[in-house]
Amino acid sequence: MSVATEVRAVITLTEPGGSLVRPGFRTIVTVSTLVGLAFGLVWVQVMTEISAPIRAGDWLAFVVAAVALVVCERTPASWIRFGPIGVVTPIWLFGFAMLLLGSPSITIGIAALAASLHAVRYDALPSDVVARVASTAFSLAAAGLVLTTLDPADTPTRLADRSWAWAGAVALAGVSIVVLNAFTAALWLSARRRSSFVALLRHGLASRVTAEGALLSLAPVWVIALDLNPVLLPLLGITTILVLRSTRHAFERAHEARHDQLTGLLNRRAFISAVDDALESRPRRAVVMLMDLNGFKDVNDRLGHQMGDALLVAFADRLESARPDNSSAARLGGDEFAVLVPDHDGDLAGLAGRFHAQLVVPLSLQGFPVTAGVSIGVSQAPADGIASSSLIRAADIAMYKAKRTRAAFALHADCVDLPQHGRANLLGDLSQALERHELHVNFQPQLHTHDGTVDAVEALVRWDHPEYGRIPPDEFIGLAEQTDLIRPITDMVLRSATQGLMAGGLTTRLAVNVAPRSLEDPMFTDRLFEILAETRFPPSQLELEITERALARNAERTRYTVGKLRAQGVRISIDDFGVGYSSYQTLRMLDVDRVKIDREFVQGLLTSDRDRKIVASLIGLAHELDLDVVAEGVESQMVWQALRELDCDVVQGYGIAVPMTYIELRTWLSDLAELHASGTARSSIA
């Protein structure tokens, strides 16, 4: 598998051909509408100002406010970022002050220029620039018309001439700015994100009353200070900075409480709240799609957490662009994402299929096309539940089926006749499985190729669930690795396997798989040697199989742990050798005794000349480094013979023996001894 295939990431949102995604029809229409509204209102403002008596203005103060406006628009430290409605800048503080100080038309022109400078720096798309400039001009023109109509002749900075009518006009102009800004932002975002306009307006209006209201309320204070004494301006500047900071921090805390810090999507708590809100409506029709990235753990371990984070951010961007209209996207944790589609009663399979097709369209990662592998589980209310917990759990079960069957998506309705064990179910049952002794150890022999004698037996954990039956280890070991359950499971396997071999007087070597997380545990080696002392199993007879992921996750800690183990005589084997991202690097950095060639190469040994050459080269490299070689996946006598010709040391696979209980192992070993005594061992095993 190539690196480009494994790195399921997106940095630049592109179409299959590689060009940037073009704005859709709704975006174009919305931008045109905003531009038309702004142009019309600005034209009315200009004509009204020309026809009205020209009022006296404090132009020196006007220039001071204009300079402050332009400077702040180019200074990110003065911006207030919050939620999906974007950014609030001091343009409303100084723009509103300019409206009170002088010509509204000139104010609109300067503010539009400053908004353009801000948008060019902050927004990537030309449509964003046009929309921001248009909405700024629209709001200021409306406020200017209010002031021109209600107070056309008063002197702006003569405090003695101020009246309650003037105060009312100022308040009404400020309210118009807040309302129109919320309206234009909701209109624009509903087009870009295909979200509910009403929901965005409700949320945006509430937020802007706080953010923009704080700035707008300072504008008359700045005007009065400019009129009374400029010496007050430094003190007023400090007050303004404090207001900006406190408002920014308040919104950051509110945003962080509801959004994922890395991707900016809704977090788990906010998503559950959104599902609850959708289920409160009538009729209760909502769809939950739960998904995660296939292979994310390998990418994160092999290429580093920085690349893993970039993958998550990029996938979140793709999720935002691909989700259905009026839906909500969230990151629930790790590489798990979710989408809520309220009030949907159409074809679920069609919805999930189209959504999956959009998510896996080739994207661009540092100039290279990559594809994001995704498994989706789908549930729907009210059929699969009428509570958020029920819907999310049902979607989790469906997603688990999709991953297990390697399907693009699965519907919970198709899982009702099958064992319903999603990840949440398994994690809950796994902790109880240890207490109920549902986990047990099987053994699979490893034989020498030259004479068929036993070299070692590998301990393999199995779970017989009382309700679901035999759960494959691939379905629960990966989950256990993400929690502290991997520690007691590893201890149980070591204790059970060593006790069994010692009780039966078997002196063969024991191989045990160890998760990367265990090697990172500072107490792992101490617990391991305590178990060996307890069961009186010689450390020299123990072989721990580790994967290259352990080195990728925490190289220094892994090397330290391996050094302590080898110092006490424990052998170390590299499992699945050859398929990792840095196999040679592993051999260079770790002092090991053995490598296990992955079954993917072994199974193609007889049919692929390329696989045969790869296996031969891996065996030759290992022998040059004085390492033993084990070949996994041996399923026939012909494969055994081919490996023997390539000078492979040890073979293992279902063609030799399937994993078996301890009692079955003793019987199998007894039969093998009889075959050796009769001289027919190797020809009869496979």
Side-chain angles (χ1 to χ4, degrees):
M1 183 178 294
S2 67
V3 176
T5 303
E6 284 201 300
V7 181
R8 318 283 188 176
V10 182
I11 299 300
T12 304
L13 184 61
T14 63
E15 292 179 337
S19 60
L20 288 175
V21 174
R22 297 176 178 84
F25 177 76
R26 292 179 61 181
T27 302
I28 295 174
V29 171
T30 304
V31 171
S32 301
T33 302
L34 289 175
V35 171
L37 289 172
F39 180 82
L41 210 57
V42 170
W43 183 83
V44 172
Q45 168 60 54
V46 172
M47 297 305 297
T48 302
E49 191 172 345
I50 291 175
S51 61
I54 299 177
R55 65 179 181 177
D58 191 333
W59 296 109
L60 178 60
F62 186 91
V63 171
V64 172
V67 171
L69 185 151
V70 175
V71 170
C72 289
E73 280 296 285
R74 297 288 293 169
T75 307
S78 65
W79 304 346
I80 301 174
R81 297 180 178 90
F82 58 95
I85 63 175
V87 178
V88 169
T89 69
I91 192 173
W92 305 114
L93 165 58
F94 298 111
F96 194 34
M98 290 168 64
L99 287 178
L100 300 176
L101 289 167
S103 168
S105 299
I106 298 177
T107 298
I108 294 170
I110 295 175
L113 175 62
S116 300
L117 297 176
H118 165 84
V120 167
R121 174 170 181 168
Y122 188 72
D123 299 317
L125 299 176
S127 56
D128 290 326
V129 178
V130 176
R132 176 170 172 79
V133 173
S135 61
T136 299
F138 181 57
S139 299
L140 287 177
L145 283 173
V146 171
L147 292 175
T148 303
T149 302
L150 298 182
D151 188 26
D154 283 348
T155 305
T157 54
R158 297 291 193 273
L159 184 61
D161 297 336
R162 298 299 94 210
S163 62
W164 286 108
W166 178 84
V170 171
L172 187 58
V175 170
S176 68
I177 289 178
V178 173
V179 173
L180 291 178
N181 281 342
F183 173 82
T184 55
L187 184 66
W188 173 237
L189 289 173
S190 66
R192 281 192 59 190
R193 304 187 178 186
R194 304 179 311 284
S195 301
S196 170
F197 169 78
V198 175
L200 286 171
L201 179 62
R202 183 174 62 250
H203 176 65
L205 186 59
S207 300
R208 288 184 182 275
V209 166
T210 302
E212 293 178 355
L215 296 178
L216 290 170
S217 63
L218 288 174
V221 180
W222 272 83
V223 170
I224 294 170
L226 287 169
D227 178 48
L228 288 178
N229 193 339
V231 176
L232 297 175
L233 293 182
L235 296 176
L236 188 56
I238 295 174
T239 303
T240 302
I241 292 173
L242 293 176
V243 170
L244 282 171
R245 286 188 174 183
S246 61
T247 305
R248 182 190 302 121
H249 292 163
F251 276 105
E252 286 176 353
R253 288 193 296 269
H255 185 265
E256 290 172 0
R258 290 183 50 83
H259 293 80
D260 176 60
Q261 187 174 3
L262 178 64
T263 64
L265 299 178
L266 295 177
N267 58 21
R268 177 179 289 273
R269 183 173 64 178
F271 182 77
I272 292 174
S273 177
V275 176
D276 288 334
D277 291 342
L279 294 177
E280 289 178 359
S281 61
R282 295 291 186 273
R284 293 181 176 178
R285 294 183 304 203
V287 174
V288 170
M289 292 188 286
L290 203 65
M291 67 207 76
D292 68 5
L293 300 178
N294 300 330
F296 171 75
K297 194 173 188 298
D298 291 335
V299 173
N300 206 40
D301 291 343
R302 295 177 182 179
L303 301 184
H305 294 287
Q306 184 176 1
M307 182 61 75
D309 288 346
L311 184 156
L312 295 174
V313 172
F315 182 76
D317 291 340
R318 169 47 63 93
L319 193 64
E320 272 289 286
S321 65
R323 62 180 175 80
D325 291 355
N326 299 326
S327 61
S328 302
R331 179 189 176 210
L332 304 186
D335 64 330
E336 185 179 5
F337 295 83
V339 169
L340 167 67
V341 186
D343 195 23
H344 179 85
D345 60 350
D347 179 19
L348 284 184
L351 175 68
R354 291 189 300 272
F355 187 48
H356 183 271
Q358 289 180 282
L359 292 178
V360 298
V361 168
L363 302 164
S364 176
L365 172 62
Q366 299 179 351
F368 294 95
V370 295
T371 301
V374 186
S375 298
I376 303 177
V378 186
S379 63
Q380 183 180 34
D384 301 322
I386 56 174
S388 58
S389 58
S390 302
L391 276 185
I392 294 175
R393 183 172 183 141
D396 180 73
I397 292 171
M399 185 186 71
Y400 201 82
K401 178 188 175 185
K403 293 184 71 70
R404 186 171 59 249
T405 60
R406 299 184 183 277
F409 65 90
L411 308 181
H412 181 259
D414 298 332
C415 304
V416 293
D417 295 327
L418 301 174
Q420 298 186 23
H421 48 275
R423 292 177 301 173
N425 305 60
L426 287 183
L427 279 176
D429 294 346
L430 190 54
S431 59
Q432 299 179 10
L434 286 165
E435 301 174 0
R436 299 173 180 174
H437 303 290
E438 296 171 5
L439 298 177
H440 61 275
V441 177
N442 280 180
F443 300 89
Q444 188 176 35
Q446 301 172 350
L447 305 185
H448 292 288
T449 55
H450 63 280
D451 60 5
T453 58
V454 176
D455 174 78
V457 293
E458 181 178 0
L460 303 168
V461 64
R462 294 293 183 263
W463 182 10
D464 288 326
H465 196 284
E467 181 179 356
Y468 306 137
R470 175 64 59 88
I471 304 293
D474 291 345
E475 295 192 10
F476 68 88
I477 291 298
L479 294 176
E481 284 190 60
Q482 301 177 29
T483 69
D484 289 338
L485 288 175
I486 193 64
R487 177 186 296 179
I489 291 177
T490 302
D491 292 350
M492 183 278 297
V493 172
L494 285 168
R495 180 175 286 104
S496 177
T498 54
Q499 279 180 342
L501 294 184
M502 292 301 295
L506 298 180
T507 58
T508 182
R509 183 183 299 121
L510 174 67
V512 179
N513 286 282
V514 177
R517 181 163 179 161
S518 296
L519 296 176
E520 296 174 3
D521 184 355
M523 302 302 297
F524 170 70
T525 53
D526 293 338
R527 295 200 317 275
L528 182 143
F529 291 125
E530 288 177 4
I531 292 173
L532 295 183
E534 175 187 328
T535 59
R536 299 183 179 180
F537 192 88
S540 60
Q541 292 297 107
L542 179 64
E543 179 177 293
L544 298 183
E545 298 182 0
I546 66 177
T547 63
E548 296 169 31
R549 287 194 296 112
L551 195 65
R553 283 172 59 103
N554 193 331
E556 290 301 322
R557 185 69 210 180
T558 298
R559 293 175 64 183
Y560 176 76
T561 303
V562 167
K564 288 184 64 176
L565 293 169
R566 287 180 57 83
Q568 297 296 322
V570 177
R571 289 168 55 91
I572 302 296
S573 173
I574 301 298
D575 198 10
D576 298 334
F577 185 75
V579 299
Y581 178 66
S582 55
S583 299
Y584 293 158
Q585 181 78 348
T586 303
L587 293 181
R588 189 178 72 85
M589 297 185 66
L590 281 184
D591 189 12
V592 300
D593 302 279
R594 167 174 288 182
V595 296
K596 297 185 71 174
I597 299 177
D598 188 77
R599 66 183 67 248
E600 291 185 10
F601 298 115
V602 174
Q603 291 174 348
L605 194 62
L606 302 179
T607 58
S608 171
D609 184 58
R610 182 182 295 269
D611 282 356
R612 183 181 179 88
K613 291 179 179 178
I614 291 175
V615 172
S617 65
L618 292 177
I619 293 173
L621 173 65
H623 287 169
E624 286 290 329
L625 298 173
D626 296 326
L627 304 178
D628 295 335
V629 181
V630 179
E632 299 179 292
V634 177
E635 297 184 356
S636 69
Q637 176 67 29
M638 296 177 63
V639 174
W640 180 325
Q641 181 62 31
L643 290 167
R644 185 171 184 266
E645 293 173 356
L646 294 177
D647 200 22
C648 182
D649 301 294
V650 179
V651 289
Q652 176 184 358
Y654 277 47
I656 298 170
V658 299
M660 60 191 81
T661 64
Y662 173 70
I663 301 299
E664 293 170 336
L665 175 66
R666 293 193 61 180
T667 302
W668 189 90
L669 292 176
S670 177
D671 293 342
L672 179 65
E674 294 180 6
L675 288 174
H676 276 292
S678 64
T680 60
R682 191 165 56 82
S683 62
S684 303
I685 291 174

